[in-house]
């Protein structure tokens, strides 16, 4: 019996090289069925939803489209969205660099706890991200009375919108920078230090060029989320037309008023932004991967 | 000076530790920790029975069932199709593959409100897709499932892709030489290797779906007890100035989300340890 087994195995070994390729790839029909399933799923859930935004936006022609996106309320919503992103992205950029510098370049106690805490905002529902600021700054909130006495408004005003946006985009830059800077290690910075460079020079001349693409990548993602945030901003905004409406909130109002063409027109601007984001992401991603490869090949 | 003396495990010649960590902690404290603790402290002012009543009212329970149920169904859907998409993108060549690959991230980039109105229009009874379906999707719990599937789609694909790319061809060749059929190689060799990543992707998609608001409220119809998700209920309570009630529900959601986050972290650590990297 054992001889028989050996013979069959030997026979298999002989034929193996010829059939190995077909043995580690699927038959063509399986391949194309799987591709078909994948594309059908993506079409149904991704491509068609994207297409319908533009189709609905231009359904009633250019005139309606232009009127919708140049309406004073729409323009003020665009402006507020740009302000919110324009403040929150630089804030989280500075934070991301500071957090990445201490986490990636130093060994200290409590690092893992800090890493978990930085990720925390991603697991908080957008609605709750807005709610917690209402609890602090709203009229019934901790500091609501004090703010009212000093005639300051945070909730239902622009500062609240900015704060909520900062919260939901909090981890983006830090998350991109930390793994890359950890992989890059500290030798180059230490060498610069020994040669007499000060902290700012080390950062500007060594660290920044090494992480610039990951930094840009984080900023792109952070910006996309900042401009598109809906739930958190919705809670703190108060929905005052022309004053505290961002683009996503303006879309909601138009939609609820059955002005579908106008709602989709404003939505198409954000969908365009999403496409630009994807293109930039695609272009930058390859450079980030290249920097990661260089870091991985670093001699220990 | 304080941090470098007490926390540093190893002396470093690099400057800026105190400044960077000080700023990080201050910013984290003011933007994230202080506001989050406000939610827990607000609930602490409630008596236990009042809290219990607030978080177990029939309307609230119905919203948990919908939110958790639809999130689970959507995450499962994404696990199955996400595996197929990731496999196809890593293993096969086909026209416009790069474009398809880039578009997988669309749900990350597209604002949720835009996704919400687009899906609603598509799956409405006179919509491009809705008209071909024998059942109603928009304004029913099925609509919630559709929106959450859209939102969670990239998580499974993007978690699986690097693991599939790292698979050594030799393992599959070894399986084939030992007489395994292609299906056996997949179910007994490849699948066990990628399953931790699949589980992580599932958990990430599930966690994201639990808190989702923007894309769901347009398509759900928002009928109390039937198609009302928990985040919407929080907003409804806020609009009625029931801040304590809203916060109590928020705390339940926060605790489940944090438990899930810890689970995902443990899962990822375990995967890394298993891969020996």
């Amino acid at each position: 019996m054992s001889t028989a087994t050996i013979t069959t195995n030997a026979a298999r070994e002989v034929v193996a090289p010829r059939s190995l390729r077909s043995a580690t790839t699927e038959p063509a029909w399986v391949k194309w069925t799987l591709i078909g399933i994948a594309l059908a799923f993506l079409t149904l859930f991704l491509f068609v939803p994207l297409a319908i935004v533009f189709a609905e936006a231009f359904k009633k022609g250019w005139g309606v489209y232009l009127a919708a996106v140049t309406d004073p309320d729409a323009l003020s919503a665009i402006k507020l969205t740009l302000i919110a992103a324009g403040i929150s992205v630089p804030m989280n950029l500075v934070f991301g660099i500071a957090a990445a510098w201490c986490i990636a370049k130093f060994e200290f106690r409590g690092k893992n706890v800090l890493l978990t805490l930085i990720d925390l905002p991603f697991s908080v529902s957008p609605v709750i991200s807005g709610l917690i600021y209402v609890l602090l700054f709203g009229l019934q909130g901790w500091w609501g009375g004090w703010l009212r006495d000093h005639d300051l408004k945070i909730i239902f005003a622009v500062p609240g919108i900015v704060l909520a946006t900062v919260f939901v985009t909090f981890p983006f830059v830090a998350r991109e920078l930390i793994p890359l800077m950890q992989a890059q290690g500290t030798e180059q910075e230490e060498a610069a230090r020994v040669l007499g460079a000060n902290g700012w020079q080390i950062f500007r001349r060594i660290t920044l060029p090494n992480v610039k693409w990951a930094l840009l990548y984080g900023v792109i993602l952070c910006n996309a989320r900042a401009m598109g945030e809906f739930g958190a901003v919705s809670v703190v905004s108060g929905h005052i037309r022309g004053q505290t409406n961002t683009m996503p909130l303006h879309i909601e109002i138009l939609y609820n008023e059955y002005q579908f063409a106008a709602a989709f027109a404003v939505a198409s601007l954000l969908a365009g932004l999403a496409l630009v984001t994807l293109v930039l992401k695609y272009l930058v991603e390859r450079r980030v991967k290249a920097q990661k490869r260089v870091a991985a090949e670093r001699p220990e | 000076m304080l941090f470098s003396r007490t926390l540093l495990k190893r002396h470093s010649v690099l400057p800026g530790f105190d400044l960077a960590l000080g700023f990080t902690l201050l910013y984290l404290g003011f933007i994230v920790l202080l506001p989050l603790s406000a939610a827990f402290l607000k609930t602490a002012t409630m008596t236990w029975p009042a809290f219990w009543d607030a978080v177990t009212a029939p309307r609230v329970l119905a919203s948990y069932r919908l939110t958790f149920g639809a999130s689970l169904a959507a995450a499962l859907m994404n696990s199955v199709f996400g595996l197929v998409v990731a496999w196809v993108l890593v293993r096969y060549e086909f026209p416009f593959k790069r474009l398809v690959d880039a578009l997988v991230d669309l749900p990350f980039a597209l604002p949720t409100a835009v996704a919400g109105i687009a899906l609603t229009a598509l799956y409405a009874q006179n919509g491009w897709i809705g008209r071909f379906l024998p059942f109603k999707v928009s304004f029913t719990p099925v609509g919630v499932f559709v929106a959450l599937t859209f939102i969670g789609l990239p998580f499974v694909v993007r978690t699986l892709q690097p693991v599939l790319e790292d698979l050594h061809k030799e393992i599959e060749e070894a399986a084939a030489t030992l007489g395994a059929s292609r299906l056996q190689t997949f179910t007994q060799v490849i699948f066990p290797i990628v399953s931790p990543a699949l589980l992580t992707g599932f958990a990430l998609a599930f966690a994201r779906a639990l808190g989702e608001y923007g894309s769901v409220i347009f398509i759900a119809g928002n009928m109390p007890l039937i198609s009302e998700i928990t985040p919407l209920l929080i907003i409804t309570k806020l609009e009625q100035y029931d801040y304590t009630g809203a916060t109590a529900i928020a705390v339940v959601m926060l605790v489940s989300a944090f438990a899930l986050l810890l689970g995902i972290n443990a899962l990822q650590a375990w995967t890394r340890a298993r891969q020996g990297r």
Side-chain angles (χ1 to χ4, degrees), chain A residues 23-24 26 45 48 92 95 99 101 106-109 123 125-126 131-133 166-167 170 193 230 255 281-282, chain B residues 6-10 13 15 17 24 27 31 35 92 98 103 105 120 122 150 169 182 211 214 243 250 257:
Chain A
T24 53
E26 291 76 46
F45 281 94
V48 183
N92 286 332
F95 162 74
W101 181 260
F106 298 90
E107 286 305 319
F108 60 94
R109 272 180 282 275
S123 61
S125 168
L131 165 76
I132 53 179
Y133 288 104
V166 169
F167 183 94
F170 186 85
R193 181 67 171 168
F230 178 74
Y255 192 85
K281 191 171 172 294
Y282 177 75
Chain B
T6 51
L7 292 176
L8 271 190
K9 286 181 185 163
R10 186 149 45 81
V13 295
F17 179 68
T24 301
Y27 190 77
I31 300 286
Y92 304 144
R98 285 217 170 142
L103 276 175
D105 280 329
T120 311
L122 272 185
F150 174 86
K169 201 81 184 167
R182 195 59 194 145
Y243 285 39

Side-chain angles (χ1 to χ4, degrees), chain B residues 41-53:
Chain B
L41 291 174
K42 177 89 181 171
T43 334
T45 61
M46 300 174 84
T47 63
W48 177 251
F51 174 79
W52 190 249
D53 284 346

Side-chain angles (χ1 to χ4, degrees), chain A residues 51-97:
Chain A
I52 202 173
V53 174
F54 294 99
E56 292 282 329
F58 292 106
K59 206 174 178 179
K60 293 193 176 155
W62 270 97
V64 177
Y65 184 86
L66 281 178
V69 298
T70 54
D71 174 81
D73 286 342
L75 287 178
S76 102
I78 294 172
K79 197 175 131 200
L80 185 56
T81 293
L82 292 176
I83 291 174
I87 299 175
S88 55
V89 173
M91 279 176 73
N92 286 332
L93 174 65
V94 173
F95 162 74
I97 292 172

Side-chain angles (χ1 to χ4, degrees), chain A residues 234-253:
Chain A
S234 165
V235 174
V236 295
S237 128
H239 307 272
I240 308 164
R241 270 194 161 191
Q243 284 180 40
T244 62
N245 261 345
T246 59
M247 287 169 80
L249 297 179
H250 189 60
I251 294 172
E252 186 196 19
I253 290 188

Side-chain angles (χ1 to χ4, degrees), chain B residues 177-201:
Chain B
T177 353
L178 293 170
S181 72
R182 195 59 194 145
L183 188 65
Q184 280 175 321
T185 309
F186 182 81
T187 53
Q188 295 181 23
V189 178
I190 300 175
F191 190 76
I193 298 177
V194 301
S195 55
L198 187 62
L199 192 59
T200 308

Side-chain angles (χ1 to χ4, degrees), chain B residues 119-149:
Chain B
L119 291 170
T120 311
L122 272 185
Y123 288 88
Q125 271 179 311
N126 57 354
W128 291 0
I129 298 179
R131 75 179 66 166
F132 298 110
L133 297 173
F135 50 89
K136 265 183 85 174
V137 175
S138 285
F139 318 120
T140 70
V142 186
V144 179
F145 160 76
V146 168
L148 295 179
T149 306

Side-chain angles (χ1 to χ4, degrees), chain B residues 15-130:
Chain B
F17 179 68
D18 287 306
L19 181 67
L21 186 63
F23 177 75
T24 301
L25 292 179
L26 200 70
Y27 190 77
L28 180 75
F30 275 112
I31 300 286
V32 178
L33 301 182
L34 182 74
L36 276 179
S37 65
F40 289 93
L41 291 174
K42 177 89 181 171
T43 334
T45 61
M46 300 174 84
T47 63
W48 177 251
F51 174 79
W52 190 249
D53 284 346
V55 299
T56 57
R59 195 171 157 188
V60 184
L61 287 180
S63 83
Y64 297 148
R65 269 196 296 275
L66 175 64
T67 304
F68 281 85
S71 300
L72 196 67
L76 282 173
M77 175 95 167
N78 276 322
S79 302
V80 174
F81 287 97
L83 178 61
V84 177
V85 171
W87 178 266
V88 162
L89 287 177
V90 171
R91 289 297 172 105
Y92 304 144
E93 289 302 323
F94 55 93
F96 302 111
K97 179 175 139 167
R98 285 217 170 142
L99 183 69
V100 171
D101 192 2
L103 276 175
V104 165
D105 280 329
L106 186 71
F108 285 154
L110 193 72
T112 52
V114 179
I117 62 171
L119 291 170
T120 311
L122 272 185
Y123 288 88
Q125 271 179 311
N126 57 354
W128 291 0
I129 298 179

Side-chain angles (χ1 to χ4, degrees), chain B residues 252-273:
Chain B
V252 172
M253 294 299 282
L254 277 177
V255 170
S256 359
F258 293 164
L260 213 54
L261 176 73
L262 290 179
I264 293 169
N265 279 356
L267 196 64
Q268 282 172 332
W270 178 65
T271 315
R272 269 195 299 274

